[in-house]
Amino acid sequence: MKILVIGAGGREHALVWKIAQSPRVRELYCAPGNPGIETLAKIVPIAVDEIEKLLAFAKEKRIDLTVVGPELPLSLGIVDRFEAEGLRIFGPHRAAAQIETSKVFSKTLMQKYQIPTADAEVVTLERAYEMLPHLPMPIVLKVEGLAAGKGVVIARDQKEAKEGLDGFRAMGEAAGRIILERFLEGVEATFFVITDGEKALPLASAQDHKRVFDEDRGPNTGGMGAISPTPRITPKLELMIMERIIHPTLRGLAVEGTPYRGVLYAGLMLTSSGPHVLEFNARWGDPETQAVLPRLKSDWVDVMEAALDHRLDQTRLEWREESSVCVVLASEGYPGTYRKGEVISGLDQIDLPDTFVFHAGTGRQGEAWVTQGGRVLGVTALGQSVAEARRRAYQAVERISFRGMHYRRDIGASAV
Ligand code: AMP
Ligand code: GLY
């Protein structure tokens, strides 16, 4: 088979790494990829939002299967476009991807199909200002039209809530409707499934670490590290998540005429009254994927094909018994403005068993590796327990260095 993976981050490095292990793959391409991916796939210099160019490339090379990493091409309808031209592509259609790209779409769907989520009201900005004095604090304010995380304000009091709304107003045209949402208390966890729109196979649980500093301090990031599985999602809880959240969501999407096919990411708050959905994503997570895929024994190409061909009921996934921990190494300044071009040393010294270094934001300068992004590398290790996986991941991390490098030292600590 010839396979094209779309994306450029650590998630895509993990996907390419996993797909490259399939004996069925003859040629593997990644657009636009990154230098860490080069040894596994041919790099194609086309950006993720250049849908027509990606399509022309896939036709020219007679790609058998295209795999989409990030949400941007999904939101631009890459799946619809490829299928209209008779090409096979793994991911949700544009309409179904709204479960991630539109906060109003997903909240309305959850309300209509009684999927446990925080109580919320969708209002205009003017109405939000009027309602504010009557709302309980803390409150969560979300605005339609912005990427996950950035369009969310958790306000502890009236003053912070007003400042949050002022911030949304300053966005002008970019700001859509406002979601006023009850603040949920609990522990966050991620749950992944693969689905053909009807059948869904649970993949794995994970826990992201979104804040930049230890003990969940500092601003939100794309994710500073992840563990998989998370011991907080027990087999019993997994059944509950499938029954109360995943199946009703997929049924709802199908009834609405937007059946979902692909990997679905459920961002959950585990509360004292059960799991509630904070958000859905229409894709794998980053860096959760770098923690999950090293645990998967099954051939991921077979599994994606089973979803495309509605054979998931005949598919059994095999997983390694070990736990995994992924630690993200970030550039000085991240998640704000960060430096680039720092020389990375130690990458050739990671010759440890069951330890994987996934590149997210690296570049080459002659023979040297240099930093090129905010999140630079993701170092994953497997271990018999979370504690052992942590020890092993940090052992590898200590061999790598670049000026200004920072990382969290407590990835997985609360799961030990
Ligand atoms: P979202 O993009 O909707 O996942 O929100 C980003 C982050 O805000 C989540 O990962 C949570 O940490 C937090 N968050 C969102 N909604 C709520 C809520 N209703 N209650 C508490 N925290 C929330
Ligand atoms: N790590 C969070 C995400 O991928 O959305």
Side-chain angles (χ1 to χ4, degrees), residues 229-375:
T230 166
R232 294 205 168 86
I233 297 191
T234 58
K236 194 168 149 230
L237 189 53
E238 176 175 321
L239 280 179
M240 191 196 272
I241 293 167
M242 291 301 289
E243 263 170 40
R244 294 197 194 164
I245 293 174
I246 303 297
H247 290 306
T249 300
L250 297 177
R251 268 197 300 276
L253 284 163
V255 170
E256 296 298 312
T258 54
Y260 188 97
R261 187 194 67 204
V263 167
L264 181 64
Y265 169 131
L268 307 171
M269 187 70 92
L270 308 178
T271 74
S272 54
S273 59
H276 285 61
V277 179
L278 292 176
E279 62 168 344
F280 284 111
N281 289 324
R283 51 173 174 80
W284 280 108
D286 189 341
E288 293 93 326
T289 308
Q290 295 91 302
V292 172
L293 285 182
R295 292 180 44 234
L296 180 63
K297 283 203 256 181
S298 309
D299 184 329
W300 183 241
V301 176
D302 286 344
V303 182
M304 286 188 288
E305 290 222 302
L308 288 170
D309 297 334
H310 297 278
R311 287 187 282 103
L312 281 177
D313 49 350
Q314 299 153 35
T315 305
R316 269 203 58 233
L317 294 172
E318 285 195 72
W319 296 90
R320 294 181 58 160
E321 293 293 319
E322 291 97 329
S323 294
S324 111
V325 169
C326 172
V327 180
V328 169
L329 309 184
S331 292
E332 185 174 351
Y334 177 79
T337 49
Y338 51 82
R339 313 157 64 106
K340 288 186 194 174
E342 299 292 354
V343 173
I344 306 168
S345 65
L347 278 180
D348 47 352
Q349 290 162 36
I350 314 296
D351 195 10
L352 301 163
D354 284 339
T355 304
F356 315 95
V357 179
F358 296 113
H359 289 234
T362 61
R364 299 243 53 170
Q365 226 166 57
E367 287 298 291
W369 287 103
V370 295
T371 63
Q372 187 71 266
R375 292 190 291 178

Side-chain angles (χ1 to χ4, degrees), residues 43-55:
I43 298 297
V44 182
I46 305 177
V48 301
D49 60 350
E50 296 180 302
I51 308 298
E52 292 306 316
K53 284 192 190 166
L54 291 167
L55 180 65

